[in-house]
Amino acid sequence: MALNSIITNYGAQVALQALNKTSDALAATQKRISTGLRVADGRDDGAAFAVAERVRGDIGAATSANEQLGGVKGLLDVTSAALQNVSTSLQALKALAVKIGDGNITADQRTQYQSQALEITNNIRSFINDAGYNSKNIINATGTNANIIINGSGDNYTISAYNGITNIHTVVGTANAYTSTTAKAALTAGGAITTALSNTLTRLNLYGGAANYIDRQINFNKSKIDALEAGMGALVDADLAKESAKLQSLQIRQQLGTQALGIANQAPQSLLSLFR
């Protein structure tokens, strides 16, 4: 039997305890709804929070790696564009060499062709020297290797530099002075134009392969980030539909608990009125 006492209000104590529990549950639910997280900090679930923090670190590292890879992709795109223009220029130079090598042209015609050849070789040098991205050039005379971290684990990938000035431009740098004999020699299998063109296409193929590698790595990193985020979400995200329904229930319980406490607090007052 409950004790009716003006000293100890058992009913009020029970009502207050229930109200405090409801208030605590309501605060937790409101926190989940406001943050969107079931585990927002170590107090919610220390083990799950620790795992989530490690996963967040992995996500941040992979995201950072992709940002760096994006810069390298830009460098490779610019380099490939430069080499494609060099290749086109060498094809034009090859056509000019055929004309210069013709022994039946006049001296004036040869001079005109040689002048055109000079402009083409100047273009080739300009394309190579202007193949920079973010102040880095991997095909000019002072180019250095591009070393990059490709993932959150710190794995490294190196793109080799190539001296395009020495191996391409210089090889055909005397095209403006070609005679019939030297022009014909430049067109042979081991000739200057053939060699410069072969060097250019080899580098185009190499840097094209590197660009494809970078694209695949970026896509993999994105897929990994998505998977990590999904896994972390399953671990710490709140079920907002469930929490919303729970919030409404707890708000009603809180109102009823407040009313119950008020009623319980009236009992001692009723007893006191008997002594008046």
Side-chain angles (χ1 to χ4, degrees), residues 9-260:
N9 190 339
Y10 181 75
Q13 290 177 342
V14 172
L16 181 59
Q17 289 172 0
L19 181 60
N20 286 338
K21 289 179 181 179
T22 301
S23 297
D24 291 342
L26 183 60
T29 300
Q30 289 174 328
K31 179 180 179 181
R32 290 171 183 172
I33 290 176
S34 62
T35 63
L37 297 172
R38 181 185 66 83
V39 182
D41 51 47
R43 289 174 295 180
D44 296 327
D45 185 334
F49 183 73
V51 172
E53 284 294 278
R54 284 194 292 270
V55 174
R56 288 188 182 101
D58 291 340
I59 292 171
T63 300
S64 181
N66 262 12
E67 291 171 356
Q68 298 304 112
L69 287 171
V72 175
K73 188 175 184 300
L75 174 62
L76 287 171
D77 288 345
V78 170
T79 301
S80 293
L83 290 174
Q84 286 168 9
N85 279 276
V86 169
S87 176
T88 300
S89 298
L90 287 171
Q91 298 289 359
L93 185 61
K94 184 175 182 178
L96 272 178
V98 171
K99 295 178 180 179
I100 295 172
D102 186 352
N104 295 317
I105 62 174
T106 65
D108 182 63
Q109 287 176 315
R110 179 170 287 106
T111 298
Q112 294 299 322
Y113 291 145
Q114 289 172 337
S115 177
Q116 293 178 38
L118 177 61
E119 294 305 317
I120 290 175
T121 55
N122 286 341
N123 275 145
I124 291 172
R125 182 178 64 245
S126 177
F127 294 147
I128 293 171
N129 284 329
D130 197 35
Y133 179 88
N134 193 27
S135 301
K136 187 171 184 63
N137 189 323
I138 57 174
I139 60 171
N140 65 2
T142 59
T144 56
N145 294 346
N147 298 303
I148 52 171
I149 293 176
I150 61 172
N151 55 35
S153 300
D155 293 333
N156 190 70
Y157 181 72
T158 300
I159 300 172
S160 300
Y162 185 75
N163 190 333
I165 295 297
T166 298
N167 295 299
I168 299 174
H169 174 263
T170 301
V171 174
V172 294
T174 59
N176 63 303
Y178 281 173
T179 63
S180 176
T181 301
T182 55
K184 291 177 182 178
L187 295 170
T188 62
I193 294 176
T194 304
T195 299
L197 189 56
S198 177
N199 290 345
T200 300
L201 296 177
T202 297
R203 300 318 290 187
L204 264 173
N205 178 58
L206 188 150
Y207 293 137
N212 288 333
Y213 176 90
I214 296 300
D215 284 339
R216 288 191 294 269
Q217 187 63 45
I218 289 174
N219 289 333
F220 172 74
N221 286 346
K222 288 179 179 178
S223 297
K224 183 177 180 180
I225 290 169
D226 290 342
L228 289 171
E229 289 178 338
M232 184 175 67
L235 181 66
V236 302
D237 285 356
D239 184 340
L240 294 182
K242 177 181 177 181
E243 296 299 333
S244 179
K246 188 175 180 180
L247 176 65
Q248 295 178 21
S249 174
L250 287 170
Q251 287 173 335
I252 294 172
R253 285 173 58 186
Q254 186 182 52
Q255 293 172 3
L256 293 174
T258 301
Q259 292 175 9

